Amino acid sequence: MSVQLQIEQTLLAIVAQRGPQSNACPSDVARAVSPTDWRGLMPLVRDAASRLALQGRVQITQRGQVVAPAGPWRGPIRIRLASSGEI
């Protein structure tokens, strides 16, 4: 399995487990994939979040507000499940 696919699957599993009222930090996903070398995965996690947001499967937020899936984002982001009818 490619690292990108593993990141996407892990990201979706984490946000699904937390439910629609919660969210995840990209570092949560990176640490779940590689507990010791997670920092190097951060750009890949953000890329995966962008792809999944463009597909309407997750939302990317900053300060509680949904931001454009393709970015560019400055600063910390959070990722949550997309609500039905809300992309």
Side-chain angles (χ1 to χ4, degrees):
M1 174 185 314
S2 74
V3 173
Q4 285 182 332
L5 183 58
Q6 185 179 8
I7 289 170
E8 285 184 11
Q9 289 178 348
T10 302
L11 190 157
L12 289 170
I14 288 172
V15 296
Q17 180 183 21
R18 294 184 182 182
Q21 300 303 315
S22 189
N23 57 45
C25 180
S27 65
D28 297 337
V29 178
R31 283 183 176 108
V33 173
S34 180
T36 56
D37 295 327
W38 63 272
R39 282 184 178 85
L41 296 178
M42 291 296 289
L44 297 175
V45 173
R46 290 170 73 99
D47 291 345
S50 178
R51 281 191 304 279
L52 292 170
L54 287 168
Q55 294 171 12
R57 299 175 76 185
V58 300
Q59 293 176 325
I60 300 168
T61 64
Q62 285 188 310
R63 294 178 213 91
Q65 300 297 314
V66 176
V67 295
W73 319 297
R74 288 182 48 152
I77 63 168
R78 304 290 286 182
I79 307 158
R80 67 183 184 196
L81 282 178
S83 304
S84 57
E86 183 183 18
I87 298 176

